[in-house]
Amino acid sequence: MHGGGNTSPSFSSFSSSSSSAADRRLNALVRHLEGSSLNGSRSIAASPTSGSHGAPNSVFDHLVRAPEDPILGVTVAYNKDPSPVKLNLGVGAYRTEEGKPLVLNVVRRAEQMLVNDSSRVKEYLPIVGLSDFNKLSAKLILGADSPAIQENRVSTVQCLSGTGSLRVGAEFLARHYHQHTIYIPQPTWGNHPKVFGLAGLSVKTYRYYDPATRGLNFQGLLEDLGSAPSGAIVLLHACAHNPTGVDPTIHQWEQIRQLIRSKALLPFFDSAYQGFASGNLDADAESVRMFAKDGGECLVAQSYAKNMGLYGERVGALSIVCRSADVASRVESQLKLVIRPMYSNPPIHGASIVATILKDRSMYQEWTIELKAMAERIISMRQQLFDALRSRGTPGDWSHIIKQIGMFTFTGLNSKQVAFMTKEYHIYMTSDGRISMAGLSSRTVPHLADAIHAAVTRVA
Ligand code: PGU
C-alpha cells in the first residue's frame, strides 16, 4: 500500500462527472416536487403526461421494487405479524429473559455523566473522530501491551459502527492497495459482498463451512487461500463467525496466519462480536492479536453494537496496523480523504459513551461483568434449546447448537422449513436457517423447539 500524494486523477474526474449527473437527477426531483406542491397533487409542470397507473410520470418510473434486506427485512415482516406468540430470531440483537432490548447499566451511567457535564459541547469532531475513543479502541482489540501501538504503527479512525468501518477500509483499499480482490468466507454475513463490491473490490469466496460436519472446512479453507493470488485481501471474522457460529481453533488460526503471511495476503478482520463469543474480551481478540504481533500489516473493523449494546448509536472503529509509524501517519492522512466526502466526520455521542467507559477502570470492570452475563445467557439458551429438542426426540444430531459460538446457531434447517416455521409458528429467522440465540428466552424455548420438531418431521 502506498501513502502520500494527492487524490488520484481518476477519482477527481469521477467526482466531477458524477456530481453533474447527480445535479441533473436532483434538479429533476426538485422540479417534480415543486410541480406537485404547486398543482395540488396529480399533475406536474415538468412532466404533464400520465404514467401506466394513471399517476403523473415520475422520473423514477423505471424503478423496480427492491426486495427487503435478507436480515433487516425479517424484522419488517415480524413487525407486521399481529400474532401474540410471534418471535423474532432474525436480527442479531440481544434481548433479556423478558424478551426486551437491553441498555447496559454502565452505558446508562456513562450517558448520565455526559449529560451532567456542562462543559461538553456539540462541536464537530475531527474527520478521524474522537481521539480518546480511537486510542482506547485500538487498545481494546490489539491489547494494552501491543508493540504496534507502542511503536505508533496503528492508524485508527472512528467510523459508523462495524459496517461503516468495513466500508471505509474497503474504499481505502480500492483506492490505494495494489490488489483489488477480496476473499470472503462461504458463507458470511450477507452485507459483506455488497459492502466490498460497491467499494470497488472484486469479491471471491473461500470455503469455510462444511454442512456435513456442521464444522469448519479447514482443508478447503487452506486450499482456497493457498491458491489465491499473492497480495489478495482476506476477510476474516475475528470471532463468533456469522452466520455459522464456527471459529477456527487457536492452532488452526496459527496455520492460517502462516499461510496468509507466506503468500503476502492482506488480512482484514471484522470484529463485530468481541466479548460475545466467550464472554472474555481478550480471548475473543486472540486471532487479531496473533496477526498484529507478527509485525505484518492488517486491517480491523470494530463494532460496539453488540458488546456495548450501542446498536443504533452507530459507533465503531477502523484500525490499520502498518509496518512503521511513518506509513501509519500517511495512511491516516488518506483515510481522511476517504471519510470527508462520505459523511465529513462521525457522530459524537456514541463514541463519548465508549470512551467514558473504556478509560475508567471501575466502569470498564462493570462493562466486562455485564458483557459476560449477556454471553452466558446466550450460552444457557443453547443448552436449553438442545435439551428441549432432545426431550422431544427430534430426529437428527443437534449437538452443533451447543458447540457453535456467539450470537447465532446455524441450525441446518432449509428455507422451506424456515418458511413453515414462520407461517405455522410465527417464528421469524433468516432463510438460511440461522437463529439469533440472543433473541431467545427460557419462556420461548419450548415454542421454538415445537416448531423445529414439526418442521423437521413434516417438511423435507
Ligand atoms: N459484521 C458482522 C459479521 C455482523 O454480523 C454485523 C451485524 C456487522 C458487521 C455490522 O454491524 P454494525 O451494526 O454495523 O456494527 N450483523 C447483525 C445485525 C444486523 C445486520 O445485518 O446489520 C446480523 O444480524 O447479522
Side-chain angles (χ1 to χ4, degrees), residues 135-174:
K135 286 194 197 115
L136 293 160
S137 294
K139 212 167 110 182
L140 182 69
I141 189 72
L142 300 177
D145 57 352
S146 159
I149 295 179
Q150 281 155 14
E151 292 156 18
N152 279 322
R153 290 190 284 111
V154 187
S155 161
T156 304
V157 290
Q158 180 194 331
C159 297
L160 303 185
S161 213
T163 310
S165 307
L166 291 166
R167 183 67 189 251
V168 168
E171 299 270 349
F172 169 82
L173 291 173

Side-chain angles (χ1 to χ4, degrees), residues 18 175 347 369:
S18 91
R175 228 182 268 183
I369 293 166

Side-chain angles (χ1 to χ4, degrees), residues 10-200:
S10 63
F11 177 64
S12 29
S13 62
F14 164 77
S15 50
S16 61
S17 70
S18 91
S19 85
S20 64
D23 285 351
R24 277 198 301 280
R25 285 195 293 271
L26 190 62
N27 286 338
L29 178 61
V30 168
R31 276 202 307 279
H32 177 111
L33 293 173
E34 281 175 348
S36 37
S37 66
L38 278 177
N39 300 317
S41 60
R42 298 194 68 78
S43 67
I44 55 171
S47 176
T49 52
S50 283
S52 54
H53 306 293
N57 275 339
S58 163
V59 291
F60 304 118
D61 259 346
H62 59 288
L63 291 191
V64 293
R65 182 174 306 281
E68 288 286 357
D69 182 81
I71 298 175
L72 301 182
V74 174
T75 303
V76 175
Y78 167 85
N79 286 338
K80 285 186 193 150
D81 185 340
S83 166
V85 298
K86 67 180 177 175
L87 186 55
N88 187 2
L89 304 178
V91 66
Y94 186 82
R95 297 285 178 268
T96 62
E97 259 296 291
E98 292 71 45
K100 298 273 187 286
L102 177 69
V103 180
L104 300 185
N105 284 327
V106 71
V107 166
R108 293 264 190 233
R109 205 145 75 79
E111 284 189 307
Q112 207 56 59
M113 285 165 65
L114 295 173
V115 168
N116 292 343
D117 181 353
S118 57
S119 70
R120 288 203 167 255
V121 291
K122 304 283 187 190
E123 289 288 287
Y124 291 127
L125 285 180
I127 297 173
V128 295
L130 194 66
S131 166
D132 273 357
F133 167 86
N134 289 338
K135 286 194 197 115
L136 293 160
S137 294
K139 212 167 110 182
L140 182 69
I141 189 72
L142 300 177
D145 57 352
S146 159
I149 295 179
Q150 281 155 14
E151 292 156 18
N152 279 322
R153 290 190 284 111
V154 187
S155 161
T156 304
V157 290
Q158 180 194 331
C159 297
L160 303 185
S161 213
T163 310
S165 307
L166 291 166
R167 183 67 189 251
V168 168
E171 299 270 349
F172 169 82
L173 291 173
R175 228 182 268 183
H176 298 295
Y177 184 58
H178 67 90
Q179 226 324 333
H180 281 185
T181 305
I182 183 163
Y183 282 76
I184 62 174
Q186 172 59 35
T188 191
W189 179 48
N191 216 15
H192 278 150
K194 298 170 204 167
V195 167
F196 297 123
L198 285 169

